Amino acid sequence: MATLPDMAEPEESGGEAMSDDELVSILSAHASQAIGYQSGDDITAEQERALNYYNRIMDDVPAAEGTSSVVDGTVALVIDNGLASVLRPFVSSDETVRFVARQEEDIEYAEQATEYVNYIFNCDNPGFMILHDWFKDGLLTKLGIVKVWWEDRARTDKQVIQPQDDLHAQFLRNQQGYLGEDEGGIHIGQEINDGRVKICNVPPEEFRISPLSRTVADAIYVAHVPTNVTRSDLVEMGFDPEIVEGLPAYSGGEENTLADARRADENYENTMPVSAHASQDVMALRDEYIRVDYDDDGIAEIRRVMRVGDVILLNEEAEENPFASVCPIPMPHKVFGLSLADLAVQEQRISTVLWRQTLDNLYKSNNPRPIVGEGALMSDGSTGDTLSDNAPGAAVMVKDASQFRFDAVPFTAQHSMPMMEMVAQRVEEMTGVSRAGQGLDTNAIRSAGQTTATEMAMVQGGKNARMEMVARIFAETGVKRLFELVLKLVTKQIGRASCRERVSS
């Protein structure tokens, strides 16, 4: 977890700094209006539906008792095939990003920045899985979010030295790194600050943003509300253990149907797991970024506030919020656009109905219902017993065979096949994702051999164009901002290290 930054006093200004109570009141008002706070808003409902459809849970298309309950997998097919196409350009090279110098004297700096930032992303962090989860969130639930921050880590470089004589021992005891001694020798250690850039995926249900925002970077209010931060994590971040100990554990409260949909297979019902110890209590932490005139100078600045309920643990000025987002089908002047799932849910609903009707017709055709006249019934009741035996070739005991027959149901489901094909083609047209995934279109090679290589390339190129555009949108929006944030953090920390070296010297 990230360590606690140094708490800075508000800058001197002509006004008076805002009180904690006033700040909490403003934050709570923004939080209650933010998108994602209420599970009933349209965006959250569409995200929940997309997750359910991906997992083939379709409560809005119930199956009648005794009929087929099969569920089509169009949404999952579109998302996974689309993800493979979009992800490929970002992972097919050793360099996920490259910085380009604007002037000749900056060439060396750009090359160093390229090498270092790629190392941070792919070695210090799981770069491939970050991109995979980030893009999949975007393709499936409209918006994929990643968070970037600097994590300070202190470690002690310790060694044990056996003194040569009493004078040497006294010299070692007077050293700044003296830690003690035992039979093995004198322990000398040095604390080393070993920080790094951390990048993590933010689940859509944990992200909050003020309505009417045009971009994530410029939003008035943005927050991350994690559901996996424990009391122990807060202490590890550097917060006062006594304050943390007095904080209440998270007791549920805020309904989140999107989280329920994500964990439907885990029997998750918005209940918190029982912790074996108070240190593992889950805390209702909010990491919030808000534009507010905190120091009363007439200009709203960005403040980062970390709080649990009404208790503020951290309050500092920030240059910008640490979030980067991707949306596959952005709408102008809005943060939330459309996902690929939004384009495919209706077709999955249609395909599910067609599959069920086809299978129901097939079941009835293969298992016709018997018609038994009153004169065919055996007096000992064996007719009913033998009819209940569905084993192939099982005999049916009847008294009069002329009063017994099967009512054959005609198979008419073949008329559904062209409709299924039409729905599948429409999915391709709307999403740009081929059913063949990365393979060859089944209709590209005709039995007559009349398709030319040029025609085949045009067909495949047309299908790839949509995914290429999505990849370019991801690159120009979220991915670009992500690596800008990483570079800014690294440059800032290098500057701080240089300042510390000058002060110490």
Side-chain angles (χ1 to χ4, degrees), residues 417-471:
M417 305 304 176
M419 186 65 180
M420 289 182 180
E421 178 63 23
M422 186 178 73
V423 172
Q425 290 178 357
R426 179 163 175 77
V427 171
E428 290 188 9
E429 293 170 358
M430 293 187 64
T431 64
V433 179
S434 172
R435 285 171 288 172
Q438 304 306 307
L440 189 64
D441 185 0
T442 55
N443 294 321
I445 302 178
R446 301 174 190 166
S447 57
Q450 297 175 354
T451 303
T452 66
T454 302
E455 290 174 332
M456 194 180 303
M458 290 176 63
V459 171
Q460 293 300 97
K463 291 181 177 179
N464 292 333
R466 188 75 172 271
M467 290 300 99
E468 289 175 0
M469 183 177 70
V470 172

Side-chain angles (χ1 to χ4, degrees), residues 292-340:
V292 63
D293 183 13
Y294 179 75
D295 51 12
D296 196 27
D297 62 353
I299 300 175
E301 67 274 359
I302 300 177
R303 305 289 306 183
R304 182 194 184 189
V305 180
M306 298 180 72
R307 63 185 176 101
V308 176
D310 295 339
V311 180
I312 294 180
L313 302 175
L314 172 67
N315 177 13
E316 65 176 4
E317 187 171 351
E319 295 180 3
E320 56 188 332
N321 72 62
F323 302 104
S325 65
V326 294
C327 177
I329 309 174
M331 298 296 291
H333 322 302
K334 288 186 61 180
V335 171
F336 288 90
L338 298 176
S339 67
L340 291 187

Side-chain angles (χ1 to χ4, degrees), residues 212-256:
L212 306 180
S213 300
R214 298 187 179 185
T215 66
V216 172
D218 298 330
I220 295 176
Y221 174 86
V222 184
H224 178 203
V225 187
T227 58
N228 62 342
V229 175
T230 65
R231 202 182 301 272
S232 174
D233 293 331
L234 292 180
V235 175
E236 187 179 352
M237 289 180 191
F239 297 118
D240 189 335
E242 292 185 5
I243 296 177
V244 172
E245 185 178 354
L247 296 174
Y250 179 59
S251 58
E254 189 175 308
E255 181 185 9
N256 197 319

Side-chain angles (χ1 to χ4, degrees), residues 91-156:
V91 298
S92 58
S93 172
D94 293 336
E95 292 182 347
T96 308
V97 65
R98 168 165 286 278
F99 294 96
V100 179
R102 294 180 179 271
Q103 300 178 2
E104 186 174 352
E105 57 267 24
D106 295 331
I107 294 178
E108 183 178 357
Y109 172 74
E111 291 177 350
Q112 292 176 353
T114 298
E115 183 177 353
Y116 190 29
V117 170
N118 277 289
Y119 177 85
I120 290 172
F121 185 69
N122 292 306
C123 298
D124 278 352
N125 293 275
F128 175 82
M129 290 309 303
I130 289 172
L131 289 177
H132 175 276
D133 295 351
W134 190 16
F135 292 174
K136 190 162 188 174
D137 277 340
L139 295 173
L140 182 59
T141 62
K142 301 176 184 291
L143 204 66
I145 299 290
V146 293
K147 183 180 181 182
V148 187
W149 73 96
W150 181 266
E151 180 184 71
D152 283 317
R153 295 184 303 172
R155 60 183 178 85
T156 302

